Amino acid sequence: MRTTSEKAVIRLSPALKHTVCKYCDSLLIEGETCVSVVENASKGGKKPWADVLVIRCKACKGVKRFPVGASRQKKQKLRNSTTPTEGTGVIEPETS
C-alpha cells in the first residue's frame, strides 16, 4: 500500500500511517505486533504537555513517537502569512 502510494504520488492519511510500521511495513496491532507506552521525559513527568505515545514494533524493534497532550502547530502557510510586526508587541507610530 505504501509503495503504491509513493509510486502514484498520493499521500496516505495520518491514521493509516499510524497503523503501519515504517521500518518493516508490518501491521501494528496493540498487544499482538506492537507495544505502546506513554512516556514523559520531563523532570519527574511534571509537564503534562510533554507526554509522548511510544509505539514499539515487536518484529523489527522500530519505534514511532506521537505527541499526546500538545496542541498542533499551525500550517506553514498560516505561520508565514503574518506581517513581521504583527504579534511582536512593537507599536508603530502613526503618520498623518
Side-chain angles (χ1 to χ4, degrees):
M1 184 168 37
R2 195 179 88 191
T3 55
T4 305
S5 69
E6 288 175 0
K7 185 176 180 180
V9 193
I10 299 172
R11 293 186 182 194
L12 292 174
S13 68
L16 191 60
K17 285 184 185 179
H18 290 257
T19 60
V20 178
C21 178
K22 70 185 219 179
Y23 303 104
C24 66
D25 292 328
S26 65
L27 188 64
L28 297 175
I29 301 171
E30 174 61 37
E32 292 183 26
T33 61
C34 73
V35 176
S36 63
V37 178
V38 176
E39 292 181 354
N40 191 332
S42 63
K43 293 182 179 180
K46 293 180 181 179
K47 299 177 182 176
W49 60 88
D51 288 340
V52 176
L53 175 65
V54 179
I55 299 175
R56 188 176 315 273
C57 179
K58 289 184 179 179
C60 68
K61 308 296 186 226
V63 176
K64 295 174 84 172
R65 299 175 184 275
F66 304 103
V68 176
S71 59
R72 294 218 33 153
Q73 190 175 24
K74 291 182 182 179
K75 292 185 178 181
Q76 187 175 9
K77 292 177 186 175
L78 297 175
R79 283 184 277 146
N80 293 338
S81 66
T82 60
T83 60
T85 59
E86 189 176 313
T88 58
V90 176
I91 301 172
E92 293 184 17
E94 293 181 19
T95 57
S96 29

